[in-house]
Amino acid sequence: MPCAADEILRIGSKRFTESTILGEILTQAAQRAAPAAHVPGLGNTAIVFEALRSGAIDLYPEYLGTIELEILHHSQAGAALAQVDQELAPLGLGVDIPLGFENSYAIGVRRDTAQALHLARISDLAHQPQLRIGLSHEFLGRADGWPGLARHYGLTATPRGLDHGLAYEALAAHQVDAIDLYTTDAKIARYGIQVLADDRHYFPRYDAVVMFRRSVPQRFPQAWAALQALAGRIDESRMIELNGAAELDHRAARDIARSFLERSGPAAMRPGFRDRLFGEDFGRLARQHVLLVLLSVAAASAIGIPLGVAAARWRALGNVILAVVGALQTIPALALLAALIPVLGAIGTRPALLALFIFALLPIVRNTAVGLAQVPLVLREAATALGARSVARLWLVELPLASPVILAGIRTAAVISVGTATIAAFVGAGGFGERIAIGLALNDHQMLLAGALPAAALALAFEALFGALVWLARRPGGRLLR
């Protein structure tokens, strides 16, 4: 049935240049017929697929080889589009709209390295184990990535993980000797990279398609028709040109998509840093970032202060509480976010808030326990002598006296949350981390700064706010927690 008037078609994309551009093209094409929103920078295949399966997004650009090997776990790729679509049907998913080009994985080296060592094929790398190989993190773990490639070609080198957006610069700077690349990367020609032939035919075909929830054509019939009109419209040379507009000319994906759909070509004025910093998305990203911090710190305070009180009152229980909360703090933020997606069955704000809440707990619990432990025993005894019961003494005497230390813990939690909230963009929660994710994907330093500087300013603002609150709490008669 057609979508409700307020329903939005949500289109995701991964965290690399081409996926971001394709996601924006799909979004703007759909917007001509129905409300649609782009959720960029969702990370690797596992994250964006989980977002699709859970219904957090409705569709995203994908590649047939990736669907077959990473999602359907075929032993080898090469099935027809119709067969892949049929296999996805039991999951409530489908694949359609071949966009017209293939983007395969490949291995590339500098031309001077290729000439000096006579490298022309991937099999030639087996005779050069001393070469330093830098590979994207996803390629290191994919079924069709490095493990299978190394076995297929007998490669014994130990590669290092490297963000794809930084790989070309690392290669040009002689920090690595070989990298994985996409055959539609615009930087191949710019950096004079020698693409090694896949002489033993390891890599499958990676035709660009649209992967979607099967309900989309019925819920958004007009938008789906607009998307189907994109079939076959992007050939390989055109995709390289679009990638170049982002990676070399540093144009925004939104502008590149608009130019493509209007057939006006990619040429346009490059935006200045001020335009990027205070772009039209500034207000939305600021609201999302502040909301993530405020809600997570408020929830952590509501739970953390009582836990801190318990830790101060009962030493044995306190050791357990602090050990558990401390252990949670050691979990890498991105790993925790990725793990929470299947648990909650959603991407976006929910897993981001839960992760931020977990990371904010430790300083609040610890400072509450420390602050209460520092309350002089004589004051507690005096309150008891005046007839104050345990709860009244805690509320009227101990918490007010401990309030500067407790506020310092909340202050630390807030500043930590501002920084950690930038990671939340990798699961579609927005905030200034969205710009950082796009900047990493495009290796666009201005976009990175346009996300990092407001986040840093926000951290300073929270630091100043809580600094003022701590000062008020330390004044004679200051009892902010009363």
Side-chain angles (χ1 to χ4, degrees):
M1 90 188 310
C3 66
D6 59 346
E7 193 173 6
I8 297 177
L9 178 66
R10 296 177 62 82
I11 298 171
S13 61
K14 300 182 186 180
R15 191 171 59 85
F16 65 94
T17 305
E18 185 167 290
S19 186
T20 303
I21 293 171
L22 291 176
E24 193 61 42
I25 289 174
L26 294 173
T27 302
Q28 292 189 23
Q31 283 173 340
R32 298 181 175 187
H38 184 199
V39 185
L42 287 178
N44 61 17
T45 299
I47 292 177
V48 73
F49 173 68
E50 187 61 41
L52 182 70
R53 191 168 62 173
S54 69
I57 60 174
D58 297 299
L59 58 91
Y60 74 98
E62 189 53 281
Y63 304 89
L64 269 183
T66 298
I67 296 173
E68 289 193 73
L69 298 176
E70 286 291 299
I71 295 173
L72 296 177
H73 304 294
H74 289 179
S75 58
Q76 60 182 14
L81 180 66
Q83 179 184 335
V84 175
D85 179 66
Q86 187 176 19
E87 290 186 47
L88 288 170
L91 300 175
L93 306 177
V95 61
D96 198 2
I97 314 177
L99 296 173
F101 72 95
E102 179 196 6
N103 181 8
S104 178
Y105 270 119
I107 301 296
V109 298
R110 291 184 304 276
R111 289 197 186 279
D112 60 340
T113 302
Q115 293 170 358
L117 300 177
H118 306 289
L119 301 176
R121 307 166 300 174
I122 296 178
S123 58
D124 295 333
L125 294 176
H127 307 295
Q128 306 293 338
Q130 79 284 0
L131 290 179
R132 298 163 300 169
I133 301 177
L135 303 175
S136 63
H137 298 96
E138 181 170 3
F139 187 76
L140 280 171
R142 287 175 62 113
D144 54 344
W146 174 255
L149 183 72
R151 288 193 300 270
H152 194 76
Y153 280 97
L155 306 179
T156 58
T158 301
R160 59 189 289 192
L162 188 64
D163 189 273
H164 185 76
L166 305 175
Y168 287 93
E169 283 69 25
L171 187 67
H174 293 256
Q175 295 175 350
V176 294
D177 301 309
I179 61 173
D180 64 302
L181 46 82
Y182 306 127
T183 53
T184 55
D185 283 349
K187 290 183 179 180
I188 293 175
R190 169 65 67 92
Y191 285 86
I193 306 256
Q194 172 71 49
V195 179
L196 302 181
D198 184 14
D199 52 309
R200 296 184 184 174
H201 308 291
Y202 171 74
F203 292 113
R205 287 190 59 83
Y206 293 92
D207 297 282
V209 292
V210 173
M211 193 168 171
F212 61 96
R213 294 181 63 81
R214 291 192 96 80
S215 61
V216 168
Q218 291 75 40
R219 290 165 50 215
F220 301 93
Q222 294 178 319
W224 185 249
L227 293 175
Q228 286 182 310
L230 294 173
R233 283 190 56 187
I234 309 176
D235 59 20
E236 183 173 312
S237 62
R238 183 59 166 155
M239 193 67 245
I240 293 173
E241 183 182 1
L242 296 175
N243 287 334
E247 296 177 342
L248 307 180
D249 301 330
H250 301 291
R251 291 186 56 206
R254 183 183 298 106
D255 297 333
I256 296 170
R258 185 180 302 116
S259 296
F260 170 78
L261 293 172
E262 293 174 354
R263 300 186 180 183
S264 57
M269 183 179 296
R270 179 176 173 175
F273 177 68
R274 181 182 177 85
D275 296 327
R276 292 179 172 217
L277 183 61
F278 299 106
E280 61 183 28
D281 62 348
F282 185 89
R284 172 180 64 85
L285 298 179
R287 287 192 300 273
Q288 291 172 337
H289 209 113
V290 170
L291 189 64
L292 285 171
V293 173
L294 290 179
L295 290 178
S296 60
V297 172
S301 299
I303 301 297
I305 292 175
L307 286 176
V309 171
R313 288 287 181 90
W314 301 285
R315 180 167 298 181
L317 177 61
N319 291 335
V320 174
I321 291 173
L322 290 172
V324 171
V325 174
L328 291 173
Q329 190 84 6
T330 65
I331 304 174
L334 194 55
L336 179 60
L337 282 168
L340 288 174
I341 291 175
V343 172
L344 298 177
I347 63 166
T349 304
R350 287 168 56 192
L353 281 176
L354 184 54
L356 291 174
F357 161 79
I358 290 172
F359 287 123
L361 271 179
L362 179 60
I364 297 174
V365 174
R366 184 174 55 198
N367 277 44
T368 300
V370 170
L372 290 173
Q374 291 177 351
V375 175
L377 178 61
V378 64
L379 294 180
R380 296 179 186 172
E381 292 176 343
T384 302
L386 292 172
R389 295 181 180 274
S390 178
V391 174
R393 187 183 66 201
L394 173 68
W395 184 250
L396 297 175
V397 177
E398 296 178 30
L399 283 176
L401 290 173
S403 62
V405 180
I406 296 173
L407 282 172
I410 298 174
R411 173 186 187 175
T412 301
V415 174
I416 290 174
S417 294
V418 171
T420 310
T422 59
I423 306 295
F426 293 97
V427 294
F432 291 115
E434 187 173 300
R435 289 179 174 179
I436 295 174
I438 293 173
L440 284 171
L442 305 182
N443 195 26
D444 186 338
H445 301 298
Q446 285 194 1
M447 183 62 77
L448 281 169
L449 281 175
L453 290 180
L458 193 58
L460 292 175
F462 274 102
E463 179 77 14
L465 172 63
F466 281 99
L469 292 176
V470 170
W471 177 78
L472 288 173
R474 291 185 184 278
R475 291 181 62 194
R479 302 173 70 172
L480 293 184
L481 292 182
R482 182 172 176 176

